[in-house]
């Protein structure tokens, strides 16, 4: 884990220094810092990355504008670090390709905890090898192939962001069970006590946009008022 490459992109040098000191105390050594979007892209092209901490307000380009360009170069986990806290900003962060959202001011140890949790999970899905049967979850209208990391809806492959896929996969493994937002966050993101409702809600919406005929009136991934979410088997509809 300590061999992970971490790229920090923030125009506040004091924050970069604080994060770098904390990360080095935790044993991380391959840390690269940038104060502009252009510098950040240069670092990614030169060194690659496993984790990227990305500020929203940069002098030459916003983090929201930079994130899609990063996604063209890397499948690293992207954690937005910003003082912008509105629901719209959080949703925009996830929509542009981010995996997590930390608001300033923050505890650097919390950021390190998020980084460690993401590194434990890795960035890729299990790959099916040999002649063994693939691990699949068939819900009739849609099918999740865990071995291939693939979502099939009405017989066609549908692209699905990594974290949304992991959330859907967890629900597929536990059908007809109600989970609270905090339980889902802990199971998928692995940060008990650090999660927030908006993260789970955004990814539930992403799943519904892919598996539901009408995402505003879901029949598969349903909300249980006051309790959380439940993924129904086709027979239970």
């Amino acid at each position: 884990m300590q061999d992970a490459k971490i790229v920090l992109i923030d125009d506040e040098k004091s924050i970069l220094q604080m994060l770098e000191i904390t990360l080095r105390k935790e044993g991380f050594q391959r840390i690269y810092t940038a104060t502009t979007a252009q510098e950040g892209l240069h670092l990614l092209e030169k060194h690659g990355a496993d984790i990227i901490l990305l500020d929203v307000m940069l002098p030459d380009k916003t983090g929201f504008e930079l994130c899609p360009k990063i996604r063209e170069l890397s499948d690293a986990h992207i954690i937005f670090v910003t003082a912008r806290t509105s629901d719209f900003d959080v949703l925009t962060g996830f929509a542009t390709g981010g995996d997590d959202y930390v608001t300033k001011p923050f505890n650097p140890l919390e950021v390190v905890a998020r980084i460690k949790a993401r590194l434990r999970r890795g960035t890729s899905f299990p790959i099916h090898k040999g002649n063994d049967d693939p691990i699949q979850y068939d819900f009739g209208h849609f099918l999740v192939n865990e071995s291939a990391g693939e979502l099939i809806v009405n017989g066609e492959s549908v692209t699905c962001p990594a974290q949304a896929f992991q959330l859907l996969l967890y629900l597929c493994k536990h059908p007809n069970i109600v989970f609270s937002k905090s339980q889902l966050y802990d199971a998928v993101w692995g940060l008990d006590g650090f999660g927030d409702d908006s993260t789970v809600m955004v990814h539930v919406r992403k799943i519904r946009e892919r598996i539901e005929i009408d995402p505003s009136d879901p029949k598969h991934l349903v909300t249980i008022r006051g309790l959380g979410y439940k993924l129904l088997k086709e027979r239970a509809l």
Side-chain angles (χ1 to χ4, degrees):
M1 182 182 295
Q2 273 67 30
D3 289 334
K5 291 176 284 187
I6 302 174
V7 174
L8 312 176
I9 307 174
D10 196 307
D11 64 341
E12 295 186 53
K13 293 184 179 180
S14 60
I15 288 180
L16 290 177
Q17 185 178 32
M18 176 183 64
L19 287 170
E20 184 171 2
I21 290 173
T22 305
L23 287 165
R24 291 194 184 281
K25 284 183 178 179
E26 293 295 317
F28 295 97
Q29 299 299 322
R30 304 171 74 181
I31 303 167
Y32 309 96
T33 63
T35 57
T36 68
Q38 184 176 359
E39 290 176 0
L41 285 176
H42 176 71
L43 288 176
L44 289 172
E45 291 171 350
K46 183 177 180 180
H47 301 289
D50 298 296
I51 296 284
I52 300 167
L53 268 65
L54 177 60
D55 187 21
V56 172
M57 299 305 295
L58 297 169
D60 53 341
K61 191 185 296 290
T62 70
F64 296 150
E65 293 170 325
L66 179 59
C67 195
K69 294 184 180 297
I70 291 175
R71 280 283 168 250
E72 295 175 4
L73 299 173
S74 173
D75 62 353
H77 295 292
I78 299 175
I79 303 175
F80 279 104
V81 182
T82 178
R84 296 173 60 165
T85 61
S86 72
D87 290 343
F88 177 78
D89 289 322
V90 175
L91 292 172
T92 301
F94 288 120
T96 56
D99 298 297
D100 207 347
Y101 202 100
V102 179
T103 58
K104 299 177 182 178
F106 57 82
N107 183 336
L109 293 176
E110 175 187 341
V111 176
V112 172
R114 291 175 185 256
I115 288 173
K116 288 182 177 180
R118 292 191 171 279
L119 290 174
R120 283 194 295 269
R121 278 159 172 72
T123 57
S124 59
F125 301 114
I127 298 175
H128 175 53
K129 298 180 180 180
N131 296 319
D132 296 332
D133 292 334
I135 302 173
Q136 299 184 146
Y137 301 90
D138 191 348
F139 282 72
H141 172 65
F142 69 93
L143 179 148
V144 174
N145 186 324
E146 180 179 7
S147 303
E150 187 176 23
L151 170 62
I152 307 294
V153 181
N154 288 330
E156 296 185 3
S157 180
V158 174
T159 59
C160 187
Q163 293 299 136
F165 185 90
Q166 295 284 21
L167 176 57
L168 176 58
L169 181 60
Y170 182 79
L171 291 166
C172 286
K173 291 180 178 181
H174 305 87
N176 302 318
I177 297 176
V178 180
F179 292 99
S180 68
K181 296 183 184 74
S182 61
Q183 287 174 323
L184 291 174
Y185 193 97
D186 185 35
V188 177
W189 283 265
L191 293 161
D192 188 23
F194 287 138
D196 58 71
D197 290 352
S198 62
T199 298
V200 175
M201 291 170 63
V202 167
H203 287 80
V204 165
R205 180 68 186 182
K206 288 182 178 181
I207 292 171
R208 286 173 171 168
E209 288 172 349
R210 288 160 174 81
I211 69 172
E212 301 286 354
I213 295 174
D214 181 0
S216 299
D217 184 24
K219 303 299 183 184
H220 300 277
L221 179 48
V222 299
T223 300
I224 307 300
R225 180 171 293 184
L227 296 176
Y229 300 104
K230 177 168 66 173
L231 183 66
L232 300 177
K233 274 283 196 181
E234 189 79 7
R235 58 177 174 76
L237 298 179

